[in-house]
Amino acid sequence: MSVVDVKNVSFAYAGNRVPVIQSLSFSVDERAIVGILGASGSGKSTLLRIIAGLETPCEGSITIAGRTVVDARTFVQPENRGVGMVFQDYGLFPHLTVAQNITFGLHRLPREQRQKRLAAMAELVQLEGYEGRFPHELSGGQQQRVALARALAPQPSILLMDEPFSNLDAALKQSIRQELSDILRRAKMTCLLVTHDEQDVEAICDRTLRLS
Amino acid sequence: MAERAKLIRALKKHTNSWLILGLLGAAVILLPLVPIILGLFKAPNENWQHITQYLLAGYLLNSLQLVALTGFFTVTLGVCLAWLIAAYDFPLRRFFRWALLLPLAVPPYIAAYTYSTMFSYTGIVQKTLRSFDVTPNPKWFGVLSMRGAVFIFTLCLFPYVYMIARSFFERQSGSYIENAMLLGRGPAAVFFRVALPLARPAIAGGVALVVFEVLGDYGVTSYYGVHTISTAIFQTWFGMYDVDSAIRLAAYLMIGTVGLFLVERWVRRNRRFSSSTSKMRPLAPRRLKGGWSWAAGLFCGSVFAWSFLFPVVQLGVWASWTFESVFTPAFGELIIRTVSLALLATVIIMFFAVIVANLHRTNANPFTSALSRWVTAGYSVPGAIVAIGVLACFIGLDRVLAPFYAVLGLGKAPLVLSMSLVMLVVAYVVRFMATGFNAVEAGFERVGTKFTEVSRTLGFGMTRTFLRVDLPLIKGAIFSGIVLTFVEIVKELPLAMLLRPFNFETLATKAYQYANDEKIFEAAVPSLLIIGVSMIAVYVLNQVGKEAGE
Ligand SMILES: Nc1ncnc2c1ncn2[C@@H]1O[C@H](COP(=O)(O)OP(=O)(O)OP(=O)(O)O)[C@@H](O)[C@H]1O
Ligand SMILES: [Mg+2]
């Protein structure tokens, strides 16, 4: 069964005549990890933003977990789409601790379950003992793992990742790539991953989607 | 069909309580301007004939002269000081760098009566001269004139130009100027051929603030007997009781200021472009040698002394004479009333400012940018226009509500709203929304939309996101917005004079009243209080400037 269905989606930024994305269709199966490749400026980030509900396509429809989130008459707000997103520069809230960042999206859970989920997430990304720190007290790789834990915590139906490795140096990238692959598979996550790097795709992804 | 479905989708997507509240704020600001625009289409009365025939040309000429002269002198003084401080190093430069902002804390109307008294026959200047056996012709000191008004406005308002030009020179002109110097140009050529043309948009922004301030002034011009369009509005209103003509005058003045507003936008249209081209190197000031360095220090020192030190010291002396008789319990009450009124208006302003700024930031589209432009238009509308518009609105509202009042047993067609403080609060909101909005917008700009988007994908709606994420991140900006707006309101004169209910005084109207009754020494106490409060705002402005530079 497919988790995400993108049908004939076209998009242009306001004031631009040339569309960034034109009649794009694809679907992502459950638990698949799909790499999105393409040259700089080909619309990779834009595609993720459309799926997350941060931009509105001018044509086409998107279905997530069997529910239409956008078509000509529907628009589901990003907070109601059940989509997790890891941004390129992570966007960790600077005024919140690691624990508060990770539990941010769990406001609908009772307190006890929230703590349980925090512990599970910290274990998953191997950050036990860092819960009280603030983002600026973490290394780049640790920040990335917090962002990942935060996006996974509310158990989204799909995880969107925009160039998760671009802020890491080559050596760190090697180890984290493997780690990420393990984490995603352990969490049984469906994932769309934007990258520049063919090696990322080989190491992590089940299949690729090329934007031009 | 598809277009219609999409339109409905967009409406559904954007319609939330934020949009509704934002529209409400815009309506509050629009309403007072409606009677003024409508006034243009009414047939003029006989009085208007008289006004256009005998008075209008004179008023217009005075206004233009005042604006042109003040503009010229503030630009000359402000730009020279800005260049001196930004490009050169001399004794006490670091002190003058912020001290030259302090004149902003002295409202022009306070400087006006302080200086006219200091220069009068019994004032300190002529007395001192006489004690040296110099008996000058008193005519030389006749500040109660156009000359005096220009002098006062220049001293009080040059910091607007200075502030904006200085930060431009310091931050954005470094590499150009160094290049020009490397190409072998002398200091004069560098200033006139490179720095000045580059800074033109910044200077235009500063001088626009000066012009709006001068056009909106009531205190200085009426005290010095200079008849401008603004004072003419008051006169036809209160002197001739001819509201229709006053509205018509206001409409003409508004057309003029809207024109200026557009010109300013046009001059500054490339501002964003020029500041975002690349990371600019800050300008490193060069040491001045010997006599030049003393001359520079002396120049800055005398501007500082005349624009801030002398009047404040003089007020301090006067205040010490009258403190006991003025500072009664009733005066304490007056302070409390002024502060609570200003706080109330500030809270309302910040509320709408945050709503509109957040709407514009999260849904940047032509509609929201028009909305944000609209709510900030009030700063360019002179106080006299706002006052008369608000009054006309509330009298109309009272008329509409008359049957309702009758039910409440308030009598036949009473003036309830138009006799209350509500009117003054609304006028403050219209006039000073821009101050709060600009502070909030600057805060949002620094934070960006990244954290907001993250929060949205984590299941928080717009309101919860604002409370949990945006608010903690921009609380500094909101705080400075609160301080700046609060201070503007505390020192505001014309709106308070015109719209306060019977027997209601603010610090500003009290000070002005004293001065008008020739009780200048008594006026010193409330004046110093206003200056003290305003100095907090200058401090905040300076801090904000520092942060923006980092
Ligand atoms: N806010 C915006 N307004 C207008 N145009 C934009 C905006 N954001 C991106 N674009 C344009 O849309 C196109 C696609 O941008 P996008 O960020 O999706 O590319 P990308 O594939 O993620 O590139 P990269 O690999 O460099 O991150 C680019 O040409 C870009 O210039
Ligand atoms: Mg990108």
Side-chain angles (χ1 to χ4, degrees), chain A residues 41 43-46 88 162-163 194 196:
Chain A
K44 304 183 295 293
S45 303
T46 307
Q88 194 165 346
D162 195 351
E163 309 203 26
V194 166
H196 272 122

Side-chain angles (χ1 to χ4, degrees), chain B residues 235-271:
Chain B
Q235 249 170 25
T236 36
W237 182 354
F238 289 107
M240 310 183 198
Y241 298 103
D242 180 359
V243 179
D244 282 347
S245 297
I247 287 181
R248 187 169 286 271
L249 274 173
Y252 283 127
L253 180 54
M254 194 161 79
I255 292 173
T257 47
V258 167
L260 274 174
F261 186 74
L262 295 178
V263 168
E264 190 231 312
R265 291 263 157 163
W266 183 74
V267 173
R268 297 206 305 168
R269 70 201 178 282
N270 289 332
R271 193 185 56 141

